[in-house]
């Protein structure tokens, strides 16, 4: 087992990465100190891993809550269901919420934990690659609004992240690829050596070779932990973690949650950001080619299907983004492979021209 730390003063916490960690009672006991535990998961993950986590939690008052699966359930209604259950069972302020699942369960569970009685202890057990390399680390929690992704939420750090890489063996291929989009992101924004390592090892990653996956998860978490420690509340460098996400969130909202997986939308959005960076003269054409080729090798889409969204509609949707200031569009772009810009105000005519070119090609 590898242990990394997210350094946030008295709210610092460990990320454990290794196989069969969900069975380790002593690991859970280190971070779950309450008798009352709400174990939150979804209908897909429950039959696979719920009993094992339940057993490892031992002799406590465990309330299981199994939600339907899907991004469409990352809503305020689902959060209300969690709060209803906590209240019905008279869970007190020291009760722990354990979120077992992908990013949807982690984001939703974290948000519910942040609000219940103004904040209860919370532990993340991520079971998708995307959640293990990104969403479970850093304390961004929240739900979607019909008008925009992740628009309602809170910064709320977990007490620990327990990433059991063994759980990835049941993950569908498409979900594995979606996670690789975020792995590639770290290489692109701040770690060129890691980008080259991913290029050299992409086949091993797609074929789920355990050593390659473990290295990718560890290096991704190392990058994420460093960025979060430097800028927990996203006043600066943390925004670079959103490379491709402004486009990606617009794609998710515009095509309907679930049409593209989050990681797929991010992959298409990353290609859009790369093309725009090229148009502005910052990223060479060879750089754009390397990015598109790596994403394709990871099994990811690099462009929208014809007719799915117009450039105008994309811009309209991108106007609802948390990085925007005073209603002006701000984007993370690339100055090269391994260097991202901070959010930049980009003239919407330039963005529209780039999108029109991409969407008509
Ligand atoms: P997800 O939670 O929907 O999980 C993907 C699918 O895999 C689901 O069907 C799920 O039931 C299934 N699944 C989970 N674990 C499995 C396993 N071990 N075996 C088989 N199936 C399994 O999606 P995701 O990609 O994990 O997360 C996407 C969400 O994360 C989005 O809502 C996105 O906005 C959010 N996100 C948040 C952050 C953050 O910093 N908080 C960062 C990135 C993404
Ligand atoms: N996934 C973006 C962030 O955590 O800031």
């Amino acid at each position: 087992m590898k242990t990394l730390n997210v350094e946030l003063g008295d709210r610092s916490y460990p990320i454990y990465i290794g196989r069969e960690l969900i069975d380790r009672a002593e690991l859970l006991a280190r971070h779950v100190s309450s008798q009352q535990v709400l174990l939150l998961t979804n209908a897909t993950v429950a039959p696979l891993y719920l009993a094992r986590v339940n057993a490892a939690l031992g002799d406590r008052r465990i309330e299981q809550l199994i939600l339907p699966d899907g991004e469409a359930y990352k809503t305020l209604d689902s959060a209300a269901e969690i709060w209803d259950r906590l209240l019905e069972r008279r869970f007190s302020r020291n009760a722990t919420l354990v979120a077992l699942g992908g990013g949807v369960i982690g984001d939703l569970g974290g948000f519910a934990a942040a609000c219940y009685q103004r904040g209860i202890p919370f532990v993340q057990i991520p079971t998708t690659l995307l959640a293990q390399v990104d969403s479970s680390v850093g304390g961004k929690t929240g739900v979607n609004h019909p008008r925009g992704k992740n628009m309602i939420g809170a910064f709320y750090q977990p007490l620990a992240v327990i990433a059991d890489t063994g759980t990835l063996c049941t993950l569908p291929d498409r979900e594995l690829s979606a996670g690789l989009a975020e792995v590639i992101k770290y290489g692109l924004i701040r770690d060129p050596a890691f980008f080259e390592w991913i290029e050299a090892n992409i086949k091993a990653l797609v074929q789920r070779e355990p050593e390659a996956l473990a290295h990718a998860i560890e290096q991704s978490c190392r990058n994420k932990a460093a960025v979060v420690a430097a800028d927990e509340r996203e006043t600066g460098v943390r925004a670079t973690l959103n490379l491709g996400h402004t486009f990606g969130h617009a794609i998710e909202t515009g095509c309907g949650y679930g049409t593209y997986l989050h990681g797929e939308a991010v992959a298409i959005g990353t290609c859009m950001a790369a093309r725009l960076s090229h148009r502005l003269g910052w990223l060479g054409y060879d750089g754009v080619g390397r990015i598109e080729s790596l994403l394709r090798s990871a099994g990811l889409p690099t462009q929208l299907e014809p007719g799915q969204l117009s450039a105008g509609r994309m811009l309209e949707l991108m106007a609802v983004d948390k990085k925007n200031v005073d209603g002006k569009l701000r984007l993370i772009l690339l100055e090269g492979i391994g260097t991202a810009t901070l959010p930049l105000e980009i003239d919407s005519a330039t963005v529209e021209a780039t999108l029109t070119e991409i969407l008509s090609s």
Side-chain angles (χ1 to χ4, degrees), residues 42 69 71 74 102-104 107 127-128 140 149 167 170 175:
N42 74 21
D69 187 1
E71 185 74 38
K74 192 174 138 183
V104 168
D107 281 14
T127 62
T128 62
K140 278 192 181 175
K149 269 277 290 179
T167 60
T170 53
E175 298 291 349

Side-chain angles (χ1 to χ4, degrees), residues 76-299:
L76 215 43
D77 282 350
S78 297
E81 199 176 329
I82 300 171
W83 297 322
D84 287 348
R85 183 68 69 88
L86 288 165
L87 282 164
E88 271 163 32
R89 299 292 188 267
R90 298 184 193 283
F91 269 34
S92 40
R93 211 188 216 167
N94 72 324
T96 308
L97 193 153
V98 176
L100 169 71
V104 168
I105 286 294
D107 281 14
L108 174 64
F111 176 63
C115 299
Y116 185 70
Q117 299 197 19
R118 301 198 182 90
I120 59 171
F122 162 54
V123 171
Q124 289 264 24
I125 307 187
T127 62
T128 62
L129 180 61
L130 185 139
Q132 295 188 355
V133 299
D134 192 353
S135 64
S136 64
V137 176
K140 278 192 181 175
T141 73
V143 296
N144 299 326
H145 187 279
R147 286 178 184 270
K149 269 277 290 179
N150 297 333
M151 276 294 142
I152 317 292
F155 284 99
Y156 194 63
Q157 301 293 344
L159 296 179
V161 177
I162 300 174
D164 184 335
T165 53
T167 60
L168 301 181
C169 68
T170 53
L171 198 63
D173 288 342
R174 195 174 158 200
E175 298 291 349
L176 188 91
S177 292
L180 288 174
E182 304 283 12
V183 173
I184 291 167
K185 170 186 81 179
Y186 295 112
L188 280 174
I189 62 171
R190 71 191 301 276
D191 194 345
F194 186 38
F195 187 85
E196 283 175 23
W197 179 88
I198 304 166
E199 286 184 311
N201 290 278
I202 192 63
K203 273 200 184 133
L205 289 168
V206 170
Q207 287 163 4
R208 303 174 193 228
E209 284 181 20
E211 276 179 22
L213 270 182
H215 178 73
I217 294 166
E218 186 187 334
Q219 195 57 21
S220 298
C221 286
R222 219 178 271 291
N223 275 296
K224 177 118 192 207
V227 172
V228 169
D231 178 23
E232 182 186 8
R233 294 267 168 158
E234 197 171 311
T235 53
V237 70
R238 184 164 181 171
T240 59
L241 294 172
N242 280 310
L243 175 71
H245 283 56
T246 305
F247 297 102
H249 288 164
I251 291 167
E252 281 184 270
T253 309
C255 294
Y257 297 126
T259 305
Y260 286 103
L261 301 178
H262 175 73
E264 292 173 339
V266 165
I268 298 171
T270 299
C271 295
M272 290 172 166
R275 294 256 169 184
L276 180 54
S277 305
H278 177 64
R279 179 181 276 261
L280 293 166
W282 299 337
L283 180 68
Y285 198 68
D286 58 328
V288 177
R290 277 174 73 188
I291 294 167
E292 291 181 351
S293 154
L294 183 56
L295 290 166
R296 265 195 297 274
S297 305

Side-chain angles (χ1 to χ4, degrees), residues 8-12:
L8 289 169
D10 58 3
R11 289 172 300 111
S12 297

